[in-house]
Amino acid sequence: MVTEPIGDARKPFDILKFTFPSVLILAFLSLSLTGTSVPIIQMRQRGSLRLFALTPVNRFNLIASQILVRAVIAMIQVAIMLVYSFQTGILTAGAVPGILMVSGFGLLMFFSLGYMLGGMLRSQEAVNGVIGLIMGPFMIVCGLFYPLEWMPPLIRTFSQYVPLTYFGDGLRKFVNTGTEAMASLVVDCLVMTATAALFLVIALYTFQWDDRSNQERARRKDARKNAKKSFRIGG
């Protein structure tokens, strides 16, 4: 533990406690983006989603079933992190319910983001670009790698409009990191809930069973075949 100037006073700043929420959010991001958006794109490109379209399963049921499976994996990640935190003294038993509650809201937001990207983007390369943007600059701007109190005023103002900031802020309310809270726990949860609802609506609206690029290539191929047949008949 070290003492660093936080706000107007010098407060004890524990780097292990501060980075605990960041590591947990990184694990959730990897699961919700790499483990959600990319498989959806791959299934669409292979035509697997087209088979689901022939069944009574609708878009919402498919997305909900995928979220439940990945939520189980996320809970395993949380369990591993909790064991580590107990061993290192980062958390106490009383903080576990709060960590689980905030993690649930954050996971719902991340999974909705993952399926929204899976519906909007058509290639794995595009998803990797978005992942690089979120896991790099955005995590720094949102105060997940460095306290927002150390950031310039412009970055602190910008971070207030990024939902990721409120996920980290909510987790740190149950970990004594020595940093100031950005908002109340109720505000943190409301922001994540509203963001998850927005992403989920966009995901349901943009979700496609077929790959439009493949359909376009198939139409062009058929058009070329028909043109060749017409040329042969005319010749």
Side-chain angles (χ1 to χ4, degrees), residues 3-132:
T3 302
E4 294 289 347
I6 303 292
D8 298 329
R10 297 181 69 87
K11 298 181 180 180
F13 177 70
D14 192 326
I15 189 65
L16 284 178
K17 292 183 177 180
F18 181 82
T19 55
F20 171 79
S22 305
V23 174
L24 193 59
I25 290 175
L26 270 174
F28 290 162
L29 269 175
S30 178
L31 175 64
S32 59
L33 296 182
T34 306
T36 301
S37 300
V38 173
I40 286 293
I41 292 175
Q42 290 176 338
M43 291 172 64
R44 184 184 295 113
Q45 291 175 343
R46 292 196 302 262
S48 301
L49 289 181
R50 190 184 303 114
L51 299 178
F52 284 107
L54 302 176
T55 68
V57 176
N58 56 35
R59 301 175 183 180
F60 179 81
N61 291 337
L62 177 63
I63 293 178
S65 63
Q66 295 284 323
I67 289 178
L68 288 175
V69 173
R70 283 155 179 80
V72 173
I73 301 176
M75 289 301 101
I76 296 175
Q77 292 178 330
V78 172
I80 295 174
M81 289 297 298
L82 288 177
V83 172
Y84 165 78
S85 66
F86 289 148
Q87 293 296 322
T88 55
I90 295 176
L91 292 179
T92 61
V96 173
I99 293 292
L100 293 177
M101 180 190 68
V102 176
S103 296
F105 283 103
L107 279 170
L108 183 61
M109 179 177 67
F110 283 167
F111 286 143
S112 300
L113 173 62
Y115 283 104
M116 182 188 72
L117 295 177
M120 296 176 62
L121 305 178
R122 292 293 177 264
S123 67
Q124 300 179 39
E125 290 76 13
V127 174
N128 292 334
V130 174
I131 293 174

